[in-house]
Amino acid sequence: MFVYKVFPSEEGWPFPKYHGACGRIIVTEDCGKSLNHFLYHPWIVRAQLAVNLLRIAQQLTVNKQNWALYMLDVSLNNFAVSDNGIVKLVDVEHLIVVDLETVSSKLLVDVNAF
C-alpha cells in the first residue's frame, strides 16, 4: 500500500491506481492480463512489451523525484498489460526504495573522509 500511495499512477508511476484499503485488503485498478499471457503472441507484440518493460526499468531508477525502486521478485506474473498495451507493475510486495539524494550525499562525505 505504501508504494501505491507514495508513487501514485496519477503522477505517471507504472503502478495500478490505488482506490483504498480496509484492514489487510487493498483495492487497486484491474490492470489487465498477466505478462505470461503474451508468451506466444506475435513477435512485434512481445517486442513492444519489452520496450515498455525497459521504460519501466528506466523510470524506476532515473526520475525527477530522485528515487530508485529496485524489484527483488522479478517474474512475468508481477506485470500486467491493459487492453491498450500499457504495462504496469502489479506486485510491489518485494521492492526496495532508495533515496538517491541521501545516498549520494553520504557517499560524498565518506569519500571526503579519505
Side-chain angles (χ1 to χ4, degrees), residues 5-97:
K5 290 174 100 175
V6 175
F7 305 102
S9 63
E10 295 85 5
E11 292 180 11
W13 290 96
F15 305 117
K17 181 177 178 171
Y18 173 78
H19 293 291
C22 179
R24 294 179 170 225
I25 297 174
I26 65 169
V27 178
T28 62
E29 74 174 306
D30 179 11
C31 291
K33 296 178 181 172
S34 169
L35 208 50
N36 275 339
H37 177 79
F38 297 89
L39 284 175
Y40 300 104
H41 275 63
W43 181 87
I44 191 67
V45 172
R46 291 180 287 139
Q48 290 168 340
L49 293 174
V51 168
N52 287 335
L53 289 171
L54 290 171
R55 286 186 181 134
I56 288 173
Q58 182 171 6
Q59 180 182 10
L60 294 179
T61 55
V62 180
N63 52 67
K64 62 184 175 189
Q65 291 86 357
N66 219 11
W67 292 100
L69 286 76
Y70 299 106
M71 294 177 60
L72 299 178
D73 181 19
V74 180
S75 72
L76 297 176
N77 292 327
N78 293 343
F79 297 92
V81 182
S82 68
D83 291 337
N84 56 357
I86 296 174
V87 179
K88 291 193 177 183
L89 177 57
V90 293
D91 183 359
V92 295
E93 192 174 313
H94 302 288
L95 200 68
I96 292 179
V97 179

